[in-house]
Amino acid sequence: EPPENDRYKDVYKSGQGSSKNCAKYANLWRVSIDIRDEWWSVLLNIRALIGRQSVAGPGQWNDPDMLTVGNTLTKDEDYSHFSLWCVTSSPLLIGTDLSKYSANSDLIKMLKNDYAIKINQEWYGHAGDRFRERSYGGILVEEWAKFLENAMGIVVLNPEYDGSVENVNVELFYEDYAEHLLGKSCYKKVDDRLGDDVDMICKVHDIWEEKDTEETNIINIGELKKHSVSFLYVSDCYVSSPNSVDDSCITRD
């Protein structure tokens, strides 16, 4: 929420209308008011994209305004800001003076990350959206995902102003994720057994931690500090059933 004394508060809350007709006239369109170098503004603008992914696609993009990374946000906020813009196919217009940063700086490395750019640029019919809010001790953690070919990018966000969240995880068998990652025909065979007597196994690349793992059913993220994210690339998923080899789906439909 914007501060109570913000003169544009009522404008933010009024909403920005529908984007469904914008593609007739433009290749991209703003979905929010001007972004500011403040965390609440990053949240406000990215949340303007909730439910809008279906109107975006090649030649027609939702735009939550430019990136303000490298200015006055904290390092964690910079990474969260960039991750959220990447996972929602948002235009990556950089609103800072890059000449202030060396080629080996964390900011430049972040902006050039191959996985982050891949998730932002690749198109498989889905622009990215917020899928879930899960409560951890009363603190809501958000999961934003973009479906890719045989894969997905997912950003797990702690948006709270104060406090870390412990024991955060991603449930691979969550219906929307599993149906996409396994393919519809495989998912229909095992949907009521996933996470029970059928395991879902995926390769996971942690983009900012730069590590690769193979995870079963759940991706354990651990602690998320305030305003921070975990940005993951999930791919090559299949199921393994110890009770019935016939139910194993090793390839997508």
Side-chain angles (χ1 to χ4, degrees), residues 49 52-53 87-89 126-131 144-147:
L49 289 179
R52 293 181 187 261
Q53 75 84 18
V87 84
T88 52
S89 306
H126 188 272
D129 209 337
R130 189 177 74 179
F131 276 78
W144 294 72
K146 179 180 178 181
F147 294 158

Side-chain angles (χ1 to χ4, degrees), residues 178 181-191 193-194 198-201 236-241 244-253:
L181 291 168
L182 295 175
K184 291 184 178 180
S185 63
C186 175
Y187 179 71
K188 287 180 181 178
K189 295 179 183 178
V190 299
D191 64 329
R193 298 168 57 196
L194 282 174
V198 175
D199 291 327
M200 181 173 172
I201 302 166
D236 300 309
C237 298
Y238 64 97
V239 300
S240 176
S241 170
S244 175
V245 175
D246 293 337
D247 282 343
S248 294
C249 305
I250 299 176
T251 58
R252 290 174 53 91
D253 56 346

Side-chain angles (χ1 to χ4, degrees), residues 193-212:
R193 298 168 57 196
L194 282 174
D196 186 7
D197 66 333
V198 175
D199 291 327
M200 181 173 172
I201 302 166
C202 300
K203 292 182 179 179
V204 178
H205 177 74
D206 188 316
I207 294 172
W208 303 133
E209 294 295 326
E210 297 183 326
K211 64 180 182 181
D212 295 288

Side-chain angles (χ1 to χ4, degrees), residues 9-43:
K9 185 176 177 67
D10 292 338
V11 177
Y12 298 136
K13 286 192 170 183
S14 69
Q16 300 298 314
S18 172
S19 302
K20 65 181 180 180
N21 296 316
C22 294
K24 296 179 181 179
Y25 310 107
N27 295 119
L28 65 120
W29 46 84
R30 289 281 301 278
V31 297
S32 60
I33 204 158
D34 290 353
I35 198 167
R36 305 187 188 186
D37 289 324
E38 298 181 66
W39 179 242
W40 68 263
S41 183
V42 173
L43 289 180

Side-chain angles (χ1 to χ4, degrees), residues 53-236:
Q53 75 84 18
S54 62
V55 301
Q60 54 186 72
W61 302 107
N62 295 310
D63 179 14
D65 206 4
M66 70 178 69
L67 294 162
T68 66
V69 296
N71 295 324
T72 60
L73 296 175
T74 68
K75 183 177 178 179
D76 282 342
E77 290 167 351
D78 276 348
Y79 276 83
S80 297
H81 183 5
F82 185 61
S83 302
L84 289 162
W85 263 238
C86 285
V87 84
T88 52
S89 306
S90 299
L92 302 180
L93 307 175
I94 304 168
T96 195
D97 182 2
L98 295 179
S99 68
K100 298 186 299 182
Y101 296 91
S102 71
N104 292 320
S105 67
D106 288 341
L107 182 77
I108 299 301
K109 289 179 179 178
M110 178 189 77
L111 293 172
K112 293 175 65 177
N113 183 277
D114 289 339
Y115 274 92
I117 299 300
K118 171 185 173 67
I119 290 169
N120 178 260
Q121 296 289 302
E122 186 174 313
W123 181 250
Y124 195 66
H126 188 272
D129 209 337
R130 189 177 74 179
F131 276 78
R132 306 184 77 183
E133 286 185 289
R134 300 176 64 197
S135 179
Y136 293 83
I139 297 177
L140 290 178
V141 170
E142 301 181 10
E143 294 180 8
W144 294 72
K146 179 180 178 181
F147 294 158
L148 308 168
E149 186 173 10
N150 300 330
M152 76 174 186
I154 181 166
V155 171
V156 185
L157 166 70
N158 174 12
E160 290 297 307
Y161 286 93
D162 294 296
S164 298
V165 185
E166 305 288 341
N167 302 316
V168 177
N169 63 63
V170 175
E171 297 173 337
L172 290 167
F173 50 81
Y174 173 61
E175 179 179 0
D176 290 334
Y177 303 161
E179 184 176 45
H180 173 73
L181 291 168
L182 295 175
K184 291 184 178 180
S185 63
C186 175
Y187 179 71
K188 287 180 181 178
K189 295 179 183 178
V190 299
D191 64 329
D192 59 343
R193 298 168 57 196
L194 282 174
D196 186 7
D197 66 333
V198 175
D199 291 327
M200 181 173 172
I201 302 166
C202 300
K203 292 182 179 179
V204 178
H205 177 74
D206 188 316
I207 294 172
W208 303 133
E209 294 295 326
E210 297 183 326
K211 64 180 182 181
D212 295 288
T213 58
E214 187 173 79
E215 304 293 343
T216 300
N217 296 328
I218 291 174
I219 305 170
N220 288 305
I221 294 169
E223 180 186 13
L224 271 183
K225 298 178 182 178
K226 68 175 184 178
H227 307 178
S228 70
V229 295
S230 178
F231 194 6
L232 308 171
Y233 179 78
V234 182
S235 64
D236 300 309

